[in-house]
Amino acid sequence: MKSGDHAIKLIASLVACLIPGYIALYFFTTSIPGWYSTLKKPGFLPSDLIVFYGIILIFCLFGLSLYYIWIAGFKHADIKAAFNLFLFTLAVFLFWFVAFFYLQALFFAFVITVMVNVVLFCTILQILRSAVKPVFFLVPCLILTLIICYANLQIVLLNSGLPGWGIIQ
């Protein structure tokens, strides 16, 4: 494969993952001045600015993972299955931002983060069957989504008076 092809695939992979990342950032940043600022948050949660850059980091890591899945080739059934799981993980993770920041459904968002972590773990296991490089980028994503899941749980517990299903009740 030509190096130009690699560059195109890298840029396309990053763009494909940063588009949902910017949608997630939109939901995050629009909720900061209002609803999100009124929540009781655990002490370990970093500032909103660090969370902002953390979101960008996660979606960049997703983009690099997608690139390495793509260059591994879709000839193998394992790679195709990993690619499908990866896309599902990305979609469910974006849905978490919708559930938490837009719908304000704290408990529902927690359930989704558990699902994100399970699907991401399955994606990693599937990728390990045929490729290794994407895992180097997905393991930090898994660690960060586990932290998000724990923070989401703590926010649910600290704000137990709020409806767990948010504005969808």
Side-chain angles (χ1 to χ4, degrees):
M1 187 181 306
K2 299 177 199 169
S3 64
D5 291 343
H6 280 283
I8 291 169
K9 287 183 178 182
L10 176 61
I11 291 167
S13 298
L14 286 169
V15 168
C17 291
L18 284 174
I19 289 172
Y22 286 121
I23 294 169
L25 282 173
Y26 171 78
F27 288 119
F28 174 67
T29 56
T30 56
S31 70
I32 289 174
W35 170 80
Y36 183 71
S37 65
T38 65
L39 289 176
K40 295 176 192 162
K41 297 174 199 76
F44 68 87
L45 202 63
S47 71
D48 296 339
L49 185 62
I50 293 173
V51 172
F52 179 87
Y53 288 116
I55 293 168
I56 294 172
L57 174 66
I58 289 174
F59 283 97
C60 284
L61 290 170
F62 275 139
L64 292 170
S65 299
L66 177 59
Y67 168 70
Y68 282 109
I69 291 169
W70 193 356
I71 65 171
F74 293 109
K75 296 174 191 138
H76 304 289
D78 291 335
I79 295 293
K80 287 180 187 175
F83 176 71
N84 290 331
L85 277 170
F86 176 84
L87 291 180
F88 184 66
T89 302
L90 194 61
V92 173
F93 190 46
L94 179 60
F95 187 59
W96 175 79
F97 283 91
V98 173
F100 190 91
F101 294 107
Y102 180 71
L103 298 176
Q104 303 168 8
L106 299 177
F107 181 74
F108 185 49
F110 170 69
V111 171
I112 292 170
T113 59
V114 170
M115 200 167 111
V116 167
N117 284 295
V118 169
V119 175
L120 186 53
F121 184 73
C122 291
T123 303
I124 290 169
L125 291 179
Q126 183 64 37
I127 289 171
L128 280 174
R129 298 179 72 178
S130 54
V132 175
K133 285 183 183 178
V135 174
F136 291 121
F137 301 104
L138 288 178
V139 167
C141 289
L142 179 63
I143 292 167
L144 290 171
T145 56
L146 284 167
I147 293 169
I148 290 169
C149 185
Y150 181 68
N152 193 154
L153 175 62
Q154 291 302 310
I155 290 171
V156 167
L157 296 174
L158 289 170
N159 297 277
S160 57
L162 293 176
W165 300 104
I167 62 172
I168 56 176
Q169 289 188 3

